[in-house]
Amino acid sequence: MTVRLYPEAVELLLIRLPLVEPFETSFGRTDVREILLVRVLQEGLEGWGECVTDHAPLYSPECNGTARYIMETFLIPSLFQAPLRHASEWLRRVAFVKGHPMAKTALEMALWDLYGQMVGRSLRDLWGGTKDRVPAGVSVGIHPDVPSLLRTVERYRAEGYQRIKLKVKPGRDHEVLTAVRQAFPDIVLTADANAAYRWPRDRTVLVTMDVYRLQLLEQPLPPDDWLGHARLQRAIQTPICLDESVTSLATLRLALRLRAGLIINIKPGRVGGYTVARRIHDVCYRRGVPVWCGGMLETGIGRAANVALASLPGFTLPNDLSASRRYWMEDIVEPPFELQAGGYLGVPQGPGLGVRVVRARLSVGWSQTYWRDGV
Ligand code: NPQ
Ligand code: MG
């Protein structure tokens, strides 16, 4: 099937969406998300994308402001330069822009949605997904006290999530992990430090985490501390899972060669798109390295794309893909994502993302439309 991806216009919108409860990590606390959305328009169809940046560069170097600037100054003009024959060509088109993976991914997502609608196929099918449902996990933020954390964990356990991930940081680790493991001896438990520890300073604190039987310990050290992760992995039994460190195929290969991590969290926004994310999956699948899909507090737009990605065969561990209502009172898409029996999310079957954006639910801060010359 020969198609041309050549949008007449691109709209950027910044929306505000309140979380059902505040989310705290080692880098900060959020109660309302500001989310940059992308809408590409062509021949009466619209493709939606979501940018996983935050208002400030706390998780990674990008933020909403840099993403907007890079999109309007470089990415959208390069989209208007000439038609693309396939969404996977986007990567080469924007290779001249160094960095800014989240900005690139948002536009790529919108192009995949548009492409899927043009050819009448779901992202799952276009990407070679093999599953109709994906294992759902939940990420639990840092809580003000242990009793409230135990109540939250119990709630998610009762809802059926297949694993629970606890956010930890220095000073909020062993007490929390001991209490949760003692109260729930049998749950699948993981911990995510978002790079808050230092090697070798925190060696003892980290090595003694083996007693909690964590499925994995996510990103304990800074993203560029390859040797620190490799040395830590040699000192503990718990598999290290890399998140922030893996930004490309090259850093993936470095991680595997050094054995700096034994498991990979794949976040498309962090690696520069769904095309790169699929290649990272393919390398890991060939080498028997387990992967799972990370989350960035997405709306149903980004969630739909991530669920489709997680339907690939190498995504064998529970994902940071939760029901819409874990995050939002009312998601901005229909149908919303709901937790199925056994702790799964269904993979959308309709064309493109397979969800409808309900525009009336968008609380728009600003929006701007960019038109291609000559339309
Ligand atoms: C992670 N995600 O795996 C990230 C952290 C993260 C679900 O744990 C705003 C506020 C945006 C908090 C993006 C989960 C965020 C955020 C990512 C946390 O490391
Ligand atoms: Mg993480």
Side-chain angles (χ1 to χ4, degrees):
M1 174 118 33
T2 154
V3 301
R4 279 160 41 104
L5 284 172
Y6 204 29
E8 293 112 33
V10 177
E11 184 182 12
L12 299 183
L13 313 85
L14 188 80
I15 64 160
R16 284 172 57 84
L17 202 57
L19 290 164
V20 294
E21 58 197 13
F23 191 72
E24 185 172 335
T25 67
S26 64
F27 57 79
R29 185 184 161 93
T30 313
D31 44 26
V32 181
R33 291 231 55 212
E34 285 183 13
I35 303 174
L36 193 50
L37 300 180
V38 178
R39 189 170 72 111
V40 297
L41 301 168
Q42 184 177 336
E43 293 153 19
L45 297 175
E46 59 175 27
W48 284 90
E50 173 170 350
C51 190
V52 298
T53 48
D54 200 0
H55 69 280
L58 305 177
Y59 164 85
S60 79
E62 291 179 272
C63 63
N64 289 336
T66 67
R68 178 191 191 175
Y69 176 77
I70 293 295
M71 286 197 250
E72 70 183 6
T73 311
F74 301 106
L75 304 181
I76 295 169
S78 71
L79 177 61
F80 289 159
Q81 237 164 44
L84 296 165
R85 274 176 294 107
H86 198 278
S88 63
E89 287 180 7
W90 176 244
L91 201 56
R92 261 167 291 150
R93 178 70 61 89
V94 297
F96 75 99
V97 175
K98 304 306 185 295
H100 303 284
M102 294 175 181
K104 292 171 180 173
T105 302
L107 273 155
E108 195 203 39
M109 192 190 304
L111 292 170
W112 277 111
D113 184 26
L114 180 64
Y115 181 83
Q117 292 176 54
M118 284 177 171
V119 300
R121 298 179 64 192
S122 66
L123 296 186
R124 185 199 99 124
D125 288 355
L126 290 172
W127 293 343
T130 53
K131 295 177 267 182
D132 296 323
R133 56 179 202 174
V134 301
V138 64
S139 178
V140 176
I142 293 169
H143 276 52
D145 56 85
V146 168
S148 71
L149 174 64
L150 293 178
R151 285 195 297 274
T152 300
V153 171
E154 168 53 20
R155 182 156 48 90
Y156 292 137
R157 189 202 59 77
E159 286 178 22
Y161 285 103
Q162 295 193 24
R163 73 85 171 110
I164 288 169
K165 161 166 138 181
L166 302 180
K167 291 291 191 179
V168 295
K169 67 177 184 183
R172 313 221 52 134
D173 40 36
H174 282 278
E175 186 196 3
V176 159
L177 289 163
T178 301
V180 172
R181 188 41 104 197
Q182 192 188 325
F184 306 98
D186 299 326
I187 61 173
V188 179
L189 197 60
T190 75
D192 186 359
N194 288 109
Y197 295 89
R198 295 295 173 268
W199 187 267
R201 183 191 75 191
D202 297 315
R203 184 191 155 92
T204 306
V205 172
L206 293 167
V207 167
T208 50
M209 286 186 188
D210 271 341
V211 297
Y212 306 115
R213 292 174 286 114
L214 302 177
Q215 183 185 52
L216 56 88
L217 172 61
E218 187 175 341
Q219 197 69 42
L221 306 174
D224 59 355
D225 193 359
W226 296 102
L227 294 178
H229 281 110
R231 287 179 177 137
L232 173 59
Q233 185 66 85
R234 276 155 187 72
I236 61 174
Q237 298 294 311
T238 307
I240 294 175
C241 171
L242 294 177
D243 175 357
E244 285 90 329
S245 289
V246 176
T247 55
S248 61
L249 270 171
T251 46
L252 169 71
R253 293 197 177 101
L254 182 60
L256 300 183
R257 174 62 65 89
L258 289 174
R259 291 182 69 80
L262 305 178
I263 296 172
I264 306 297
N265 167 335
I266 300 182
K267 285 177 182 165
R270 196 192 65 226
V271 302
Y274 288 84
T275 301
V276 183
R278 289 165 63 209
R279 289 183 191 156
I280 289 176
H281 159 272
D282 294 348
V283 169
C284 290
Y285 191 49
R286 278 201 298 275
R287 301 196 193 181
V289 174
V291 307
W292 54 282
C293 184
M296 295 287 281
L297 282 53
E298 290 90 349
T299 72
I301 297 173
R303 196 167 304 277
N306 285 351
V307 164
L309 181 70
S311 75
L312 272 65
F315 286 82
T316 53
L317 297 177
N319 304 283
D320 269 351
L321 294 169
S322 311
S324 294
R325 60 168 244 217
R326 151 71 183 91
Y327 291 110
W328 320 116
M329 197 78 95
E330 186 177 51
D331 204 336
I332 62 170
V333 304
E334 282 293 333
F337 287 88
E338 284 172 7
L339 197 62
Q340 299 177 353
Y344 294 92
L345 294 188
V347 182
Q349 300 296 310
L353 290 170
V355 292
R356 265 182 323 106
V357 176
V358 183
R359 245 199 117 109
R361 291 186 197 155
L362 303 184
S363 163
V364 178
W366 57 260
S367 82
Q368 192 165 351
T369 302
Y370 307 83
W371 293 88
R372 174 154 60 81
D373 285 344
V375 299

